Amino acid sequence: MTLGSFAYEGGILCAGGVPLAPLAERYGTPLYVYDFDAIAARYEAFSRALGDQPHRICYAVKANSNLALLARLARLGSGFDIVSGGELARVLAAGGDPAKIVFSGVGKSTAELKAALDANIGCFNVESEPELWRLAALAEAAGVEAPVSLRVNPDVDPKTHPYISTGLKDNKFGLAVDQAAALYPRLAAHPGLRPVGIDFHIGSQLTTLEPFIDALRRVLALVDQLEADGLTLSHIDVGGGLGVRYDDEAPPSAAAYAAGLKGALQGRPQTLVLEPGRWLVAESGALLTTVEYEKHHEGKRFLIVDAAMTELLRPALYDAWHPIVPLTEPAADAEGTPADVVGPVCESSDVLGRDRPLAVGEGDGLAILGAGAYGFGMASNYNTRNRPAEVLLEAGQAHLVRRRERYEDQFALESLALPGGE
Ligand code: LLP
């Protein structure tokens, strides 16, 4: 199967009309390819679905933080959800508007809080009481008021993989509803803090609407209670988490998601803030790889490719399924013996796909689809592998937006430090 903007045209796998094999040839593999036109179309569709509901889309940078992508999303008017000082630096370097930044995360350091205060970001999504008072002290010392949202943990089961569930009460994320209710009046009274919103994020790759709506209803009950007590918030941030199709999942459409959220809001005037990551970028990216060896062992077939868990960790970490398709369309009746597609890394979990009936062999190119989100961002240098190049396609043009790492890049920060040495 193909996915998103990746489709065969005249037997050649293309993205947005651009053939992929020549890119693999030119830039080498493994290689990430992103179709920005498809991402822009999704951004616009998401925004359109929200229609006249005042809203702000804050792209979750962790899904794919390439600067060229961030710069283009900023131009479309996107805000950004960040979780570290590094992501803040990326958004600023890409020309993002600080006023449209929301800063999430359970463990923001003093340095990160200060950097975000200096940058004058739009909102701190605070996740604990100690974090709140640390932020208050820093803001007061700087003579500013930090805009604050409390992250509420609505205790809703998102029915997704346990590693990417975040809204249950035994997760490390957010504050219980009661705790948040008690904190709002206290923070409102503090000279260093200004309550502007409330937020939640219950998990990622959600394929049903109900958990989002349940969570929103619980949070709205608190918003109403605060309002009755005279505290009005200007925005409600529903986090990210909208799922995509990798295999046979049938996640709600953007239109259904938006309609569900708007239905629950019942005309409340607050700005709806959304933090989609995966939904915007996953299906518009692929990881291209080449078969190094075909190996038969104990009756099993392996395709050993030049990409690995170091470039796409999702299958190893979450047992995630990604489509793997040849760069040249196989004949309709061509079906290979099922093979495990594995990388060269010295870990048994270094599997990219199991039992794939791929009619390919040594030297053939493959595309692992759905790799636009949480691909490069979770890549590592394990086994001293260079992280791949990234190519962004836009209006039929291919732009190299990150060159492949070199070994010197990896060594640059190390020192031999031999006794008596230089
Ligand atoms: N907002 C917050 C506070 C988050 O923690 C996340 C993701 C998002 C937004 C974006 O969620 P999305 O729309 O992308 O589902 N590495 C995992 C996903 C981890 C997501 C962590 N938080 C994976 O590859 O599936």
Side-chain angles (χ1 to χ4, degrees), residues 25-62:
E25 186 71 28
R26 176 158 176 210
Y27 298 107
T29 56
L31 179 74
Y32 299 95
V33 179
Y34 312 127
D35 176 2
F36 184 71
D37 297 326
I39 295 169
R42 285 175 88 85
Y43 178 90
E44 301 293 1
F46 204 78
S47 185
R48 233 181 359 258
L50 291 157
D52 53 8
Q53 171 70 40
H55 65 270
R56 170 161 305 143
I57 300 172
C58 292
Y59 167 64
V61 173
K62 65 168 82 67

Side-chain angles (χ1 to χ4, degrees), residues 60 62 81 104 151 164 201 204-205 240-242 275-278 314 318 374 378:
K62 65 168 82 67
D81 166 50
S104 303
R151 175 166 176 178
I164 48 177
H201 171 80
S204 200
Q205 182 56 11
L242 183 57
E275 304 170 1
R278 185 190 318 267
R314 305 194 70 258
Y318 315 115
Y374 305 111
M378 296 176 84

Side-chain angles (χ1 to χ4, degrees), residues 185-226:
R186 293 175 60 201
L187 85 88
H190 194 287
L193 302 173
R194 179 163 40 95
V196 295
I198 189 161
D199 64 287
F200 66 88
H201 171 80
I202 54 175
S204 200
Q205 182 56 11
L206 272 66
T207 52
T208 57
L209 206 49
E210 292 71 28
F212 289 115
I213 308 302
D214 281 359
L216 178 54
R217 289 220 176 93
R218 288 182 197 197
V219 167
L220 288 174
L222 175 54
V223 170
D224 292 347
Q225 182 193 324
L226 293 171

